[in-house]
Amino acid sequence: MSQQDKRTAFRAKLLTFAGDPATTAGGARFEEDGLLIVEDGRVVAAGAYSALRAQLTRETKLVQWPGKLIAPGFIDTHVHYPQTEMIASPAAGLLPWLDTYTFPTERSFEDPEHAANVAEFFLDQLLACGTTTALTYCTVHPGSADALFEASEARNLRMVAGKVLMDRNCPEFLRDTAQSGYDDSAALIARWHKRGRQLYALTPRFAPTSTPAQLEACGALARLHPDVFIQSHVSENTDEVKWVADLFPGHRSYLDVYEHYGLLRRRAVYGHCIHLDDDDRARMAETGAVASHCPTSNLFLGSGLFDFEKAKQAGMPVALGTDVGGGTSFSMLQTMNEAHKVARMTGHHLTASRMFWLATAGAARALGLEDTIGTLRPGAEADFIVLDPEATPLLARRTALAQSPEEWLFAFAMLGDDRAVLATYAAGREAHRRA
Ligand code: GUN
Ligand code: ZN
């Protein structure tokens, strides 16, 4: 970050985290009257106003938001920016949805102007929802990744993205080859990984659309670049699981295919993880690979119910994703809403504190970015949001009756969406303000 911004302080309620609220007493910290101090795009301090007011010099600009809540910006760990315009496309499950809507839609990203246009709109949507970092799939076209990174760089956002790899079982017009996918990904890593706030993710779409040769090549790139991210889908749908068993005979499980090719490790993020077994969960926990739970998508496509209890028992890193266009909302608040209901269906209770943690500091920790984003700790990048408890008449009435910070936050998770996001800041600068 090259910008030099003078010191600004924001006074509001504050939500910060010291650890996973599910396992750490006092993991979530709620400050009734808090102060966040930011300078040159980074957090200087965050805590009680009474403790930090002495740091307000004459030069400090003070922004007051009485009654509002400042929290770290949301992290969406699984989304497809090219699917923005095809959100809410009805189909009888994942595989017909891919054939009918997804592949034809992704074809149009061969046009760089179209890709640039959708990338801008996508970022507008994320910021309106309070999402400051996303792990996004692009399409098979390398230019679709350039378009996303260029748009993100211009707004100084921290985004993780990658060109999709797929060299079989998809229309001819969307295919790369093991060699071209390797070369294009290597060039994109050289061009974008760690350039400013941009980070690259190797993106084999899912095992069925890659030949063993392509997965082998992807694993080789992953070994060359241990700090590059990896993103794919696993065990989302029962027909898909059967298909993988046919395509890759001799593997213990679907997840084992990825492990075989060296794609299970820290910074590897797998969407869905619904139909895993206990051995799979143990392998994810041991390797540090992350499950991205995408409840709005899983319900919309009828994929199944993610098992929070088993994930917790296995000690497997978990974060939340919207999975738009399979998912039905860009809002991480709406994603929490449906995550809560899915957890209830499997006998697990997700508190509001934990859902906010999963969408911020917990996601950052799972991604190995805990000192950088998802936190208001001094030195972190100042990506944060301002939530409005009076965003709608109903939210105002419910939050007014809340008996505890937990209940107050829970109302946001159940009733909130982009309307609840008053402002979104990226690297200390306002990137969105609600109309
Ligand atoms: N599996 C392979 N591709 C996709 C995709 O685009 N969306 C979802 N939800 N699952 C997938
Ligand atoms: Zn997906």
Side-chain angles (χ1 to χ4, degrees):
M1 279 170 293
S2 58
Q3 63 183 25
Q4 293 284 303
D5 287 345
K6 60 179 269 207
R7 183 171 285 218
T8 307
F10 303 88
R11 186 178 181 184
K13 299 174 193 282
L14 280 189
L15 178 65
T16 59
F17 295 96
D20 181 351
T23 51
T24 314
R29 290 185 183 157
F30 193 83
E31 206 65 68
E32 253 321 309
D33 183 11
L35 194 68
L36 169 67
I37 306 176
V38 167
E39 192 170 1
D40 292 338
R42 291 188 185 269
V43 175
V44 173
Y49 176 77
S50 58
L52 294 176
R53 62 188 300 178
Q55 295 190 33
L56 295 175
T57 60
R58 198 189 288 265
E59 290 73 44
T60 310
K61 182 178 164 203
L62 179 64
V63 180
Q64 307 244 26
W65 271 309
K68 311 292 190 247
L69 175 73
I70 290 178
F74 293 132
I75 301 170
D76 179 348
T77 60
H78 183 116
V79 64
H80 301 254
Y81 99 81
Q83 296 173 15
T84 298
E85 293 177 326
M86 56 156 283
I87 190 171
S89 293
L94 171 68
L95 301 178
W97 175 83
L98 284 172
D99 288 335
T100 313
Y101 293 103
T102 315
F103 292 149
T105 299
E106 293 193 5
R107 182 179 200 174
S108 51
F109 286 74
E110 64 198 8
D111 172 7
E113 253 178 67
H114 178 71
N117 176 280
V118 176
E120 293 293 349
F121 182 74
F122 167 77
L123 295 179
D124 289 344
Q125 291 290 304
L126 291 191
L127 294 168
C129 290
T131 299
T132 46
T133 292
L135 269 74
T136 182
Y137 289 58
C138 301
T139 61
V140 73
H141 316 96
S144 70
D146 288 318
L148 190 280
F149 282 129
E150 279 161 18
S152 169
E153 182 174 60
R155 302 186 198 212
N156 198 20
L157 305 178
R158 188 167 278 288
M159 289 287 149
V160 186
K163 173 209 121 65
V164 159
L165 297 165
M166 47 181 178
D167 66 346
R168 68 164 165 173
N169 292 323
C170 60
E172 201 61 65
F173 56 76
L174 279 182
R175 279 184 208 185
D176 57 8
T177 66
Q179 189 62 51
S180 76
Y182 180 98
D183 293 343
D184 289 340
S185 301
L188 285 164
I189 290 169
R191 191 143 71 242
W192 290 109
H193 188 57
K194 295 184 167 173
R195 169 161 144 186
R197 304 185 76 200
Q198 312 316 311
L199 295 166
Y200 196 77
L202 291 166
T203 309
R205 177 171 216 118
F206 67 157
T209 47
S210 285
T211 57
Q214 179 160 72
L215 294 177
E216 188 84 51
C218 185
L221 262 184
R223 274 190 299 282
L224 273 179
H225 301 280
D227 67 350
V228 154
F229 290 81
I230 298 167
Q231 56 183 353
S232 193
H233 298 84
V234 74
S235 297
E236 173 177 6
N237 168 291
T238 48
D239 292 335
E240 170 210 18
V241 174
K242 284 188 210 123
W243 194 18
V244 172
D246 289 342
L247 288 169
F248 295 90
H251 288 274
R252 190 189 59 73
S253 68
Y254 184 170
L255 188 79
D256 184 58
V257 174
Y258 294 124
E259 178 153 31
H260 175 81
Y261 291 103
L263 299 172
L264 221 54
R265 67 171 193 198
R266 283 187 60 75
R267 293 203 163 190
V269 181
Y270 285 92
H272 307 287
C273 298
I274 297 170
H275 310 285
L276 299 183
D277 63 19
D278 288 343
D279 289 343
D280 291 329
R281 292 188 189 89
R283 290 310 298 144
M284 293 205 55
E286 280 159 27
T287 58
V290 182
S292 178
H293 171 38
C294 305
T296 76
S297 170
N298 297 340
L299 294 174
F300 178 68
L301 292 171
S303 302
L305 304 177
F306 179 81
D307 197 322
F308 258 99
E309 196 58 44
K310 286 189 173 161
K312 188 176 164 204
Q313 277 162 17
M316 161 181 148
V318 177
L320 298 176
T322 64
D323 193 30
V324 167
T328 53
S329 172
F330 278 111
S331 170
M332 293 302 285
L333 294 171
Q334 280 300 293
T335 303
M336 291 180 202
N337 173 326
E338 301 210 345
H340 180 79
K341 295 170 186 168
V342 167
R344 285 258 42 91
M345 290 300 292
T346 57
H348 187 80
H349 185 76
L350 276 183
T351 64
S353 304
R354 180 133 206 269
M355 291 191 285
F356 271 80
W357 183 82
L358 286 169
T360 60
R365 189 168 88 181
L367 299 172
L369 294 172
E370 62 271 30
D371 297 326
T372 310
I373 55 170
T375 175
L376 302 179
R377 267 201 304 275
E381 296 174 356
D383 290 352
F384 62 94
I385 56 176
V386 185
L387 294 179
D388 178 6
E390 295 176 322
T392 68
L394 186 60
L395 192 58
R397 286 192 181 228
R398 183 62 190 91
T399 51
L401 278 188
Q403 299 294 308
S404 63
E406 169 63 28
E407 239 183 72
W408 195 80
L409 276 180
F410 194 77
F412 278 103
M414 292 304 116
L415 304 174
D417 52 30
D418 54 324
R419 293 169 298 176
V421 180
L422 181 59
T424 303
Y425 282 77
R429 290 186 179 175
E430 188 176 287
H432 167 78
R433 176 72 75 114
R434 194 179 65 198

